[in-house]
Amino acid sequence: MSATVFNNNLKTLGLLQVSKEQTEIINGPAYKEYIKILYLPAGYKLRVDFACYHTQQPTLFFISPNQYLELEIAGQESGYFIFYNRDFYCIQIHDQEVACDGLLFNNIRNMPKVELLENEIAFLGGLFKEMIGEFQLNDSSLEEMMRTYLKQLLIRATRSWKRQHLTHDVTDQQSDLEFFRKFTRLVEQHYKSKHTVADYADFLCMAPKTITHKFNRLRLPQPNEVIKNRIILEAKRLLVHTSLTAKEIAYELGYSDPAYFSRLFQTKTGESPSSFRVNF
């Protein structure tokens, strides 16, 4: 199957099979601007930002446009690669429909994967076949059918993500789960200008201690660490994928004192921004 792509009025969604032959295309610049979903059987190795993943079983990966993706090794079985833009489907606007923002995408613990159970593998196999069939049919309702299939995938994957990454008692406490997502989305929106727990406490209309208490209950790192980790992740991306200086990156991330930012980076990573860039 070659790339099958829907394009209409700036709305784009495409599907292609993943194999050894497709690796260079997926790693190239063509898909950088898109939201990406990868379905990879066992035997694949990929890098997302600064983490490496080896698939031991069929796994879904969710990649935002600002994340770095490199497929390093392709397994024996073919996988699937979905790419689409926000004009086709925006998870922020349609949050009530799929509730995946802050879990599958923009996750504060940077866990972009879901390992699948047998029934989930069977469901997704059927879903991809339906999508391929829909492209071949090329009916006037293609766009809406594709959006329906995409939503089914996101809803099922969100349920699987909760099963895999959250304890059952937390999953049952809907308010805690919604807090987890809300905090995540706020950090993603404001990490360049808001650096303290107190900043986010103001957004959430609660005391900083309450946030810490909720994080402890969710078995998350301390909220201050979560904020700083997001800032450092962006600093690493900018160091590796742009030519900005450490001083320019400090300003980009909202620090008026580049020396303070460099000390923070050194504390969090064990090396200076310049040595991180050279070593990577």
Side-chain angles (χ1 to χ4, degrees):
M1 180 186 74
S2 59
T4 25
V5 184
F6 167 82
N7 262 316
N8 184 31
N9 292 333
L10 302 177
K11 291 179 277 193
T12 302
L13 177 137
L15 172 69
L16 64 143
Q17 277 187 321
V18 180
S19 62
K20 290 175 184 174
E21 294 72 37
Q22 299 280 10
T23 303
E24 279 187 36
I25 299 168
I26 290 169
N27 291 344
Y31 302 108
K32 173 73 181 135
E33 66 189 273
Y34 293 103
I35 301 157
K36 297 169 278 290
I37 301 171
L38 277 161
Y39 172 86
L40 301 178
Y44 282 76
K45 181 185 175 189
L46 69 159
R47 180 185 295 278
V48 181
D49 283 325
F50 302 95
C52 263
Y53 300 93
H54 299 258
T55 58
Q56 310 296 323
Q57 64 196 78
T59 306
L60 285 169
F61 291 88
F62 299 87
I63 318 292
S64 299
N66 65 333
Q67 290 185 290
Y68 173 76
L69 167 68
E70 184 180 358
L71 197 57
E72 296 184 354
I73 296 171
Q76 295 302 310
E77 283 184 67
S78 292
Y80 291 99
F81 178 72
I82 295 174
F83 59 95
Y84 63 98
N85 61 9
R86 287 192 174 91
D87 289 316
F88 185 86
Y89 193 74
C90 176
I91 58 170
Q92 285 82 18
I93 292 172
H94 299 283
D95 187 65
Q96 284 187 312
E97 293 179 353
V98 291
C100 67
D101 191 23
L103 298 181
L104 303 181
F105 297 99
N106 305 320
N107 182 281
I108 50 177
R109 282 156 74 179
N110 205 30
M111 296 182 294
K113 68 168 188 166
V114 175
E115 293 177 334
L116 300 166
L117 299 176
E118 285 300 324
N119 64 324
E120 295 163 341
I121 295 165
F123 171 80
L124 285 172
L127 189 73
F128 288 122
K129 282 185 182 138
E130 292 285 339
M131 291 177 81
I132 293 163
E134 196 63 36
F135 271 119
Q136 291 166 346
L137 188 63
N138 199 23
D139 187 76
S140 60
S141 59
L142 172 67
E143 177 183 347
E144 205 45 53
M145 282 295 281
M146 284 300 172
R147 196 172 286 113
T148 301
Y149 290 136
L150 179 62
K151 285 195 281 188
Q152 285 185 58
L153 191 159
L154 291 171
I155 290 167
R156 292 289 289 250
T158 299
R159 290 175 183 169
S160 302
W161 191 98
K162 291 181 203 171
R163 167 186 57 76
Q164 193 173 322
H165 293 297
L166 297 178
T167 59
H168 293 298
D169 56 325
V170 169
T171 308
D172 294 338
Q173 293 168 13
Q174 197 59 32
S175 64
D176 277 356
L177 183 57
E178 280 309 302
F179 168 78
F180 176 91
R181 294 202 316 117
K182 193 168 187 178
F183 189 89
T184 294
R185 298 203 303 272
L186 285 171
V187 170
E188 190 61 31
Q189 288 166 23
H190 300 288
Y191 68 88
K192 289 185 179 179
S193 57
K194 305 293 183 186
H195 298 162
T196 70
V197 179
D199 289 330
Y200 294 94
D202 288 343
F203 282 127
L204 294 162
C205 301
M206 59 176 65
K209 280 184 181 175
T210 307
I211 295 179
T212 301
H213 177 67
K214 283 181 175 286
F215 268 62
N216 289 339
R217 202 157 65 191
L218 286 161
R219 300 196 179 103
L220 289 168
Q222 291 302 299
N224 184 56
E225 289 301 298
V226 168
I227 298 162
K228 294 295 185 284
N229 286 343
R230 180 63 187 89
I231 293 164
I232 296 301
L233 172 61
E234 198 62 27
K236 287 178 175 179
R237 286 175 179 164
L238 294 170
L239 285 165
V240 170
H241 304 300
T242 76
S243 57
L244 292 174
T245 66
K247 185 185 284 189
E248 288 168 333
I249 290 169
Y251 294 143
E252 172 75 13
L253 296 175
Y255 289 91
S256 56
D257 181 355
Y260 173 82
F261 172 75
S262 289
R263 287 196 299 275
L264 172 67
F265 191 93
Q266 177 101 31
T267 302
K268 296 293 288 178
T269 67
E271 52 189 333
S272 68
S274 55
S275 67
F276 177 83
R277 173 174 266 163
V278 169
N279 292 337
F280 195 85

